[in-house]
Amino acid sequence: MINVALVGKEYSDHLFTIDNLIEGETNPCKIYQEKLGGVYNFLQIDTPSVKFKVHTSGKKKAFIVNDTAKSVRTSITVENEISSIDLDFIGTINSNYSWCHVSYLDDFEDYKKLLDIDIPLSIDFCTINSRKIYSDILNKAEIIFDSRERKLLYCDFAVKTPIIFHDPEGIEVHKNGKILGSDFITPLQNLEVNGAGDIFAAFFIKNYTKLGIIESASTAMRSTTDFLSKERRHSEKEI
């Protein structure tokens, strides 16, 4: 078993599930939920070989619309408390874990302090902000996760760390501007996709303890789709 620190802001999610969102109109909400989100999404999956533990700094509220007809989500976030990372925080991570995942690096106001993490590090993002400003920590990381539609955010600087781009149609693994490998999957409809990127990263880290990077990403892609499908069936039973 490996111990993985999950570092991120504490998200309080307000989730609205809608069958087919029509912008500019009144839309009935099929399901409304309140729960912890963000880095806490990792804890939804069963990982006997990996022990995840959350360490938060800063707080946010997220108001999220899951449009199941299009299998897309849209979120509006409210900052409640900025991040405040100190030496004790970093020391706890370095002393007690063999891997650290930073959930939404672009959430952290003091992200440069994360450069003091000296164990293997993975990173993901939640906005379309420039990635170039994070080049120092990106090049230090072991793995970067990002959405495939955000590939252009990496075109204006060099990244030696492997980047796993993912979307509902598959994955691409890039390094130094070149594609190391890719895989594809048939997108499924009528899914609640909020948290899918976090679930994908959790499955990848689990797989990466025993598989190579391409196979880990491919397996995580299929495991994430299976997980979301099961969640859909579970939601349908509850209605």
Short mmCIF file of all heavy atoms in Angstrom, two decimals, residues 121-170:
data_model
loop_
_atom_site.label_atom_id
_atom_site.label_comp_id
_atom_site.label_asym_id
_atom_site.label_seq_id
_atom_site.Cartn_x
_atom_site.Cartn_y
_atom_site.Cartn_z
N LEU A 121 5.20 14.06 -7.20
CA LEU A 121 4.10 15.02 -7.17
C LEU A 121 3.30 14.93 -8.47
O LEU A 121 3.87 14.89 -9.56
CB LEU A 121 4.70 16.42 -7.03
CG LEU A 121 3.78 17.64 -6.97
CD1 LEU A 121 2.98 17.64 -5.67
CD2 LEU A 121 4.63 18.92 -7.06
N SER A 122 1.99 14.89 -8.35
CA SER A 122 1.12 15.03 -9.52
C SER A 122 0.24 16.25 -9.32
O SER A 122 -0.03 16.68 -8.19
CB SER A 122 0.27 13.77 -9.75
OG SER A 122 -0.47 13.42 -8.59
N ILE A 123 -0.22 16.81 -10.43
CA ILE A 123 -0.89 18.11 -10.42
C ILE A 123 -2.05 18.08 -11.40
O ILE A 123 -1.95 17.48 -12.48
CB ILE A 123 0.10 19.22 -10.83
CG1 ILE A 123 1.14 19.46 -9.73
CG2 ILE A 123 -0.61 20.53 -11.17
CD1 ILE A 123 2.32 20.30 -10.19
N ASP A 124 -3.14 18.77 -11.06
CA ASP A 124 -4.16 19.06 -12.06
C ASP A 124 -4.67 20.49 -11.89
O ASP A 124 -4.24 21.22 -11.00
CB ASP A 124 -5.29 18.02 -12.05
CG ASP A 124 -6.10 18.01 -10.76
OD1 ASP A 124 -6.06 18.99 -10.00
OD2 ASP A 124 -6.79 17.01 -10.50
N PHE A 125 -5.58 20.89 -12.78
CA PHE A 125 -6.05 22.26 -12.85
C PHE A 125 -7.57 22.30 -12.95
O PHE A 125 -8.21 21.31 -13.28
CB PHE A 125 -5.46 22.97 -14.08
CG PHE A 125 -3.97 23.20 -14.00
CD1 PHE A 125 -3.08 22.24 -14.46
CD2 PHE A 125 -3.46 24.38 -13.49
CE1 PHE A 125 -1.72 22.44 -14.40
CE2 PHE A 125 -2.10 24.60 -13.42
CZ PHE A 125 -1.22 23.63 -13.88
N CYS A 126 -8.14 23.51 -12.70
CA CYS A 126 -9.59 23.64 -12.78
C CYS A 126 -10.06 24.84 -13.61
O CYS A 126 -11.25 25.05 -13.78
CB CYS A 126 -10.21 23.70 -11.39
SG CYS A 126 -9.72 25.13 -10.40
N THR A 127 -9.14 25.66 -14.12
CA THR A 127 -9.53 26.84 -14.89
C THR A 127 -8.77 26.88 -16.21
O THR A 127 -7.90 26.04 -16.48
CB THR A 127 -9.21 28.14 -14.11
OG1 THR A 127 -7.78 28.33 -14.08
CG2 THR A 127 -9.75 28.08 -12.69
N ILE A 128 -9.07 27.90 -17.02
CA ILE A 128 -8.35 28.10 -18.28
C ILE A 128 -7.28 29.18 -18.15
O ILE A 128 -6.82 29.74 -19.14
CB ILE A 128 -9.33 28.46 -19.43
CG1 ILE A 128 -10.15 29.72 -19.08
CG2 ILE A 128 -10.26 27.29 -19.73
CD1 ILE A 128 -10.97 30.24 -20.25
N ASN A 129 -6.84 29.44 -16.93
CA ASN A 129 -5.75 30.39 -16.71
C ASN A 129 -4.47 29.90 -17.38
O ASN A 129 -4.28 28.70 -17.59
CB ASN A 129 -5.49 30.58 -15.22
CG ASN A 129 -6.64 31.28 -14.51
OD1 ASN A 129 -7.48 31.90 -15.16
ND2 ASN A 129 -6.70 31.16 -13.19
N SER A 130 -3.57 30.82 -17.67
CA SER A 130 -2.29 30.47 -18.29
C SER A 130 -1.56 29.41 -17.47
O SER A 130 -1.51 29.48 -16.24
CB SER A 130 -1.41 31.72 -18.40
OG SER A 130 -0.09 31.37 -18.76
N ARG A 131 -0.98 28.42 -18.15
CA ARG A 131 -0.19 27.41 -17.46
C ARG A 131 1.28 27.83 -17.35
O ARG A 131 2.02 27.31 -16.52
CB ARG A 131 -0.27 26.07 -18.22
CG ARG A 131 -1.69 25.52 -18.37
CD ARG A 131 -2.31 25.16 -17.04
NE ARG A 131 -3.57 24.48 -17.20
CZ ARG A 131 -4.75 25.01 -16.96
NH1 ARG A 131 -4.84 26.26 -16.53
NH2 ARG A 131 -5.86 24.31 -17.12
N LYS A 132 1.69 28.76 -18.19
CA LYS A 132 3.10 29.16 -18.23
C LYS A 132 3.59 29.70 -16.89
O LYS A 132 4.75 29.49 -16.51
CB LYS A 132 3.32 30.20 -19.33
CG LYS A 132 4.78 30.50 -19.62
CD LYS A 132 4.92 31.42 -20.82
CE LYS A 132 6.37 31.66 -21.18
NZ LYS A 132 6.50 32.54 -22.38
N ILE A 133 2.72 30.38 -16.15
CA ILE A 133 3.13 30.96 -14.87
C ILE A 133 3.48 29.87 -13.85
O ILE A 133 4.13 30.15 -12.85
CB ILE A 133 2.06 31.90 -14.30
CG1 ILE A 133 0.75 31.15 -14.03
CG2 ILE A 133 1.81 33.07 -15.23
CD1 ILE A 133 -0.30 31.99 -13.31
N TYR A 134 3.05 28.64 -14.12
CA TYR A 134 3.32 27.52 -13.20
C TYR A 134 4.46 26.64 -13.70
O TYR A 134 4.64 25.52 -13.23
CB TYR A 134 2.06 26.66 -13.04
CG TYR A 134 0.85 27.42 -12.58
CD1 TYR A 134 -0.19 27.74 -13.47
CD2 TYR A 134 0.72 27.84 -11.26
CE1 TYR A 134 -1.31 28.43 -13.06
CE2 TYR A 134 -0.41 28.54 -10.84
CZ TYR A 134 -1.41 28.84 -11.74
OH TYR A 134 -2.51 29.53 -11.32
N SER A 135 5.24 27.11 -14.68
CA SER A 135 6.22 26.25 -15.36
C SER A 135 7.24 25.64 -14.40
O SER A 135 7.68 24.51 -14.60
CB SER A 135 6.93 27.02 -16.46
OG SER A 135 7.63 28.14 -15.94
N ASP A 136 7.61 26.37 -13.34
CA ASP A 136 8.61 25.83 -12.41
C ASP A 136 8.11 24.58 -11.72
O ASP A 136 8.80 23.55 -11.67
CB ASP A 136 9.06 26.89 -11.40
CG ASP A 136 7.92 27.64 -10.73
OD1 ASP A 136 6.74 27.34 -11.04
OD2 ASP A 136 8.19 28.53 -9.90
N ILE A 137 6.90 24.62 -11.20
CA ILE A 137 6.38 23.45 -10.49
C ILE A 137 5.91 22.37 -11.46
O ILE A 137 6.02 21.16 -11.17
CB ILE A 137 5.26 23.85 -9.50
CG1 ILE A 137 4.94 22.68 -8.55
CG2 ILE A 137 4.02 24.33 -10.22
CD1 ILE A 137 4.09 23.08 -7.37
N LEU A 138 5.47 22.76 -12.65
CA LEU A 138 5.08 21.76 -13.65
C LEU A 138 6.26 20.91 -14.07
O LEU A 138 6.14 19.70 -14.25
CB LEU A 138 4.47 22.45 -14.87
CG LEU A 138 3.10 23.11 -14.67
CD1 LEU A 138 2.63 23.77 -15.95
CD2 LEU A 138 2.07 22.10 -14.18
N ASN A 139 7.41 21.54 -14.23
CA ASN A 139 8.60 20.80 -14.64
C ASN A 139 9.22 19.99 -13.51
O ASN A 139 10.04 19.10 -13.74
CB ASN A 139 9.64 21.75 -15.25
CG ASN A 139 9.31 22.11 -16.68
OD1 ASN A 139 9.25 21.25 -17.55
ND2 ASN A 139 9.06 23.39 -16.94
N LYS A 140 8.81 20.29 -12.28
CA LYS A 140 9.26 19.49 -11.14
C LYS A 140 8.38 18.26 -10.92
O LYS A 140 8.84 17.25 -10.39
CB LYS A 140 9.26 20.35 -9.87
CG LYS A 140 9.68 19.58 -8.62
CD LYS A 140 9.64 20.42 -7.37
CE LYS A 140 10.04 19.59 -6.16
NZ LYS A 140 10.13 20.38 -4.92
N ALA A 141 7.12 18.34 -11.34
CA ALA A 141 6.15 17.29 -11.07
C ALA A 141 6.48 15.99 -11.79
O ALA A 141 7.23 15.96 -12.77
CB ALA A 141 4.75 17.76 -11.46
N GLU A 142 5.88 14.92 -11.30
CA GLU A 142 6.02 13.59 -11.92
C GLU A 142 5.00 13.41 -13.05
O GLU A 142 5.30 12.86 -14.10
CB GLU A 142 5.80 12.52 -10.86
CG GLU A 142 6.01 11.11 -11.32
CD GLU A 142 7.42 10.60 -11.04
OE1 GLU A 142 8.21 11.30 -10.40
OE2 GLU A 142 7.70 9.49 -11.50
N ILE A 143 3.77 13.90 -12.81
CA ILE A 143 2.67 13.75 -13.75
C ILE A 143 1.80 15.01 -13.69
O ILE A 143 1.57 15.57 -12.62
CB ILE A 143 1.78 12.53 -13.41
CG1 ILE A 143 2.58 11.22 -13.48
CG2 ILE A 143 0.54 12.46 -14.31
CD1 ILE A 143 2.94 10.78 -14.88
N ILE A 144 1.29 15.42 -14.86
CA ILE A 144 0.32 16.52 -14.93
C ILE A 144 -0.95 15.98 -15.59
O ILE A 144 -0.89 15.28 -16.60
CB ILE A 144 0.87 17.69 -15.78
CG1 ILE A 144 2.18 18.21 -15.19
CG2 ILE A 144 -0.16 18.82 -15.88
CD1 ILE A 144 2.98 19.07 -16.16
N PHE A 145 -2.09 16.31 -15.01
CA PHE A 145 -3.39 15.97 -15.60
C PHE A 145 -4.07 17.26 -16.06
O PHE A 145 -4.06 18.26 -15.35
CB PHE A 145 -4.30 15.29 -14.57
CG PHE A 145 -3.75 14.04 -13.96
CD1 PHE A 145 -3.15 14.07 -12.70
CD2 PHE A 145 -3.83 12.82 -14.61
CE1 PHE A 145 -2.64 12.93 -12.12
CE2 PHE A 145 -3.33 11.66 -14.04
CZ PHE A 145 -2.73 11.72 -12.78
N ASP A 146 -4.69 17.20 -17.24
CA ASP A 146 -5.45 18.36 -17.70
C ASP A 146 -6.45 17.90 -18.76
O ASP A 146 -6.32 16.81 -19.33
CB ASP A 146 -4.52 19.43 -18.29
CG ASP A 146 -5.01 20.86 -17.99
OD1 ASP A 146 -6.23 21.04 -17.86
OD2 ASP A 146 -4.18 21.78 -17.92
N SER A 147 -7.44 18.75 -19.01
CA SER A 147 -8.44 18.44 -20.03
C SER A 147 -7.85 18.61 -21.42
O SER A 147 -7.06 19.52 -21.65
CB SER A 147 -9.65 19.37 -19.86
OG SER A 147 -10.23 19.20 -18.59
N ARG A 148 -8.26 17.75 -22.34
CA ARG A 148 -7.69 17.80 -23.68
C ARG A 148 -8.03 19.11 -24.39
O ARG A 148 -7.23 19.59 -25.19
CB ARG A 148 -8.17 16.60 -24.50
CG ARG A 148 -7.57 16.56 -25.88
CD ARG A 148 -7.39 15.18 -26.46
NE ARG A 148 -8.52 14.30 -26.31
CZ ARG A 148 -8.52 13.03 -26.77
NH1 ARG A 148 -7.45 12.57 -27.40
NH2 ARG A 148 -9.56 12.25 -26.60
N GLU A 149 -9.17 19.71 -24.09
CA GLU A 149 -9.52 20.97 -24.74
C GLU A 149 -8.63 22.13 -24.29
O GLU A 149 -8.67 23.22 -24.87
CB GLU A 149 -10.99 21.32 -24.49
CG GLU A 149 -11.39 21.49 -23.04
CD GLU A 149 -11.95 20.23 -22.41
OE1 GLU A 149 -11.60 19.11 -22.88
OE2 GLU A 149 -12.74 20.35 -21.46
N ARG A 150 -7.78 21.88 -23.27
CA ARG A 150 -6.87 22.92 -22.79
C ARG A 150 -5.43 22.71 -23.28
O ARG A 150 -4.51 23.34 -22.77
CB ARG A 150 -6.89 22.95 -21.25
CG ARG A 150 -8.26 23.30 -20.67
CD ARG A 150 -8.26 23.12 -19.16
NE ARG A 150 -9.56 23.44 -18.58
CZ ARG A 150 -9.93 23.08 -17.36
NH1 ARG A 150 -9.09 22.39 -16.59
NH2 ARG A 150 -11.11 23.41 -16.89
N LYS A 151 -5.24 21.87 -24.28
CA LYS A 151 -3.89 21.60 -24.79
C LYS A 151 -3.17 22.87 -25.23
O LYS A 151 -1.96 22.99 -25.07
CB LYS A 151 -3.95 20.63 -25.98
CG LYS A 151 -4.03 19.18 -25.60
CD LYS A 151 -3.64 18.27 -26.75
CE LYS A 151 -4.55 18.44 -27.95
NZ LYS A 151 -4.22 17.45 -29.01
N LEU A 152 -3.91 23.80 -25.79
CA LEU A 152 -3.28 25.02 -26.32
C LEU A 152 -2.63 25.86 -25.22
O LEU A 152 -1.77 26.70 -25.51
CB LEU A 152 -4.31 25.86 -27.07
CG LEU A 152 -4.82 25.26 -28.40
CD1 LEU A 152 -5.90 26.15 -29.00
CD2 LEU A 152 -3.68 25.07 -29.38
N LEU A 153 -3.01 25.63 -23.97
CA LEU A 153 -2.43 26.39 -22.87
C LEU A 153 -0.97 26.00 -22.61
O LEU A 153 -0.28 26.65 -21.83
CB LEU A 153 -3.26 26.17 -21.59
CG LEU A 153 -4.71 26.68 -21.64
CD1 LEU A 153 -5.44 26.28 -20.36
CD2 LEU A 153 -4.76 28.18 -21.84
N TYR A 154 -0.50 24.95 -23.28
CA TYR A 154 0.88 24.48 -23.10
C TYR A 154 1.76 24.73 -24.33
O TYR A 154 2.90 24.26 -24.38
CB TYR A 154 0.88 22.97 -22.79
CG TYR A 154 0.21 22.63 -21.48
CD1 TYR A 154 -1.17 22.45 -21.41
CD2 TYR A 154 0.95 22.47 -20.31
CE1 TYR A 154 -1.80 22.14 -20.21
CE2 TYR A 154 0.33 22.14 -19.11
CZ TYR A 154 -1.04 21.99 -19.07
OH TYR A 154 -1.67 21.68 -17.88
N CYS A 155 1.24 25.46 -25.29
CA CYS A 155 1.96 25.62 -26.56
C CYS A 155 3.11 26.62 -26.50
O CYS A 155 3.99 26.59 -27.36
CB CYS A 155 0.98 26.05 -27.66
SG CYS A 155 -0.12 24.73 -28.19
N ASP A 156 3.11 27.51 -25.52
CA ASP A 156 4.09 28.61 -25.54
C ASP A 156 5.24 28.42 -24.55
O ASP A 156 5.99 29.35 -24.28
CB ASP A 156 3.39 29.94 -25.26
CG ASP A 156 2.65 29.97 -23.94
OD1 ASP A 156 2.43 28.88 -23.37
OD2 ASP A 156 2.30 31.08 -23.47
N PHE A 157 5.40 27.20 -24.01
CA PHE A 157 6.55 26.92 -23.14
C PHE A 157 6.80 25.42 -23.09
O PHE A 157 5.93 24.62 -23.45
CB PHE A 157 6.32 27.49 -21.72
CG PHE A 157 5.26 26.78 -20.92
CD1 PHE A 157 5.61 25.94 -19.88
CD2 PHE A 157 3.91 26.98 -21.19
CE1 PHE A 157 4.64 25.29 -19.12
CE2 PHE A 157 2.93 26.35 -20.43
CZ PHE A 157 3.30 25.50 -19.40
N ALA A 158 8.01 25.06 -22.69
CA ALA A 158 8.41 23.65 -22.69
C ALA A 158 8.06 22.99 -21.36
O ALA A 158 8.27 23.58 -20.29
CB ALA A 158 9.91 23.53 -22.94
N VAL A 159 7.54 21.78 -21.43
CA VAL A 159 7.23 21.00 -20.24
C VAL A 159 7.85 19.62 -20.41
O VAL A 159 7.46 18.85 -21.30
CB VAL A 159 5.71 20.86 -20.02
CG1 VAL A 159 5.44 20.11 -18.71
CG2 VAL A 159 5.03 22.22 -19.99
N LYS A 160 8.80 19.29 -19.56
CA LYS A 160 9.46 17.98 -19.66
C LYS A 160 8.68 16.89 -18.94
O LYS A 160 8.93 15.69 -19.16
CB LYS A 160 10.87 18.07 -19.09
CG LYS A 160 10.94 18.36 -17.59
CD LYS A 160 12.38 18.46 -17.10
CE LYS A 160 12.44 18.72 -15.60
NZ LYS A 160 13.82 18.84 -15.11
N THR A 161 7.76 17.29 -18.07
CA THR A 161 6.93 16.33 -17.33
C THR A 161 5.84 15.77 -18.24
O THR A 161 5.23 16.52 -19.01
CB THR A 161 6.27 17.03 -16.13
OG1 THR A 161 7.30 17.57 -15.29
CG2 THR A 161 5.41 16.07 -15.33
N PRO A 162 5.55 14.47 -18.19
CA PRO A 162 4.43 13.93 -18.98
C PRO A 162 3.11 14.58 -18.59
O PRO A 162 2.81 14.75 -17.40
CB PRO A 162 4.43 12.44 -18.61
CG PRO A 162 5.82 12.16 -18.15
CD PRO A 162 6.29 13.40 -17.48
N ILE A 163 2.34 14.98 -19.60
CA ILE A 163 1.02 15.56 -19.40
C ILE A 163 -0.01 14.59 -19.94
O ILE A 163 0.07 14.17 -21.09
CB ILE A 163 0.86 16.91 -20.13
CG1 ILE A 163 2.00 17.87 -19.78
CG2 ILE A 163 -0.49 17.54 -19.79
CD1 ILE A 163 2.03 19.12 -20.65
N ILE A 164 -0.99 14.23 -19.11
CA ILE A 164 -2.07 13.35 -19.55
C ILE A 164 -3.29 14.22 -19.82
O ILE A 164 -3.90 14.76 -18.90
CB ILE A 164 -2.38 12.29 -18.48
CG1 ILE A 164 -1.13 11.45 -18.19
CG2 ILE A 164 -3.52 11.39 -18.96
CD1 ILE A 164 -1.30 10.49 -17.05
N PHE A 165 -3.60 14.37 -21.10
CA PHE A 165 -4.80 15.10 -21.50
C PHE A 165 -5.95 14.09 -21.63
O PHE A 165 -5.78 13.03 -22.23
CB PHE A 165 -4.59 15.80 -22.84
CG PHE A 165 -3.57 16.91 -22.80
CD1 PHE A 165 -2.36 16.79 -23.47
CD2 PHE A 165 -3.84 18.08 -22.09
CE1 PHE A 165 -1.43 17.82 -23.43
CE2 PHE A 165 -2.90 19.11 -22.05
CZ PHE A 165 -1.70 18.98 -22.72
N HIS A 166 -7.10 14.45 -21.06
CA HIS A 166 -8.23 13.52 -21.09
C HIS A 166 -9.52 14.27 -21.41
O HIS A 166 -9.66 15.46 -21.12
CB HIS A 166 -8.36 12.79 -19.74
CG HIS A 166 -8.43 13.71 -18.56
ND1 HIS A 166 -9.60 14.26 -18.10
CD2 HIS A 166 -7.45 14.19 -17.74
CE1 HIS A 166 -9.35 15.03 -17.05
NE2 HIS A 166 -8.06 15.02 -16.82
N ASP A 167 -10.45 13.56 -22.00
CA ASP A 167 -11.79 14.07 -22.25
C ASP A 167 -12.71 12.86 -22.43
O ASP A 167 -12.25 11.71 -22.31
CB ASP A 167 -11.82 15.03 -23.46
CG ASP A 167 -11.51 14.36 -24.79
OD1 ASP A 167 -11.48 13.11 -24.86
OD2 ASP A 167 -11.30 15.09 -25.78
N PRO A 168 -14.00 13.05 -22.70
CA PRO A 168 -14.91 11.89 -22.80
C PRO A 168 -14.57 10.93 -23.93
O PRO A 168 -15.07 9.80 -23.95
CB PRO A 168 -16.28 12.56 -23.04
CG PRO A 168 -16.16 13.91 -22.43
CD PRO A 168 -14.75 14.34 -22.69
N GLU A 169 -13.71 11.35 -24.88
CA GLU A 169 -13.40 10.49 -26.02
C GLU A 169 -12.05 9.78 -25.89
O GLU A 169 -11.69 9.00 -26.76
CB GLU A 169 -13.43 11.31 -27.31
CG GLU A 169 -14.81 11.87 -27.62
CD GLU A 169 -14.86 12.60 -28.94
OE1 GLU A 169 -13.79 12.81 -29.55
OE2 GLU A 169 -15.97 12.97 -29.35
N GLY A 170 -11.31 10.05 -24.82
CA GLY A 170 -10.06 9.32 -24.66
C GLY A 170 -8.97 10.11 -23.98
O GLY A 170 -9.23 11.10 -23.30
#
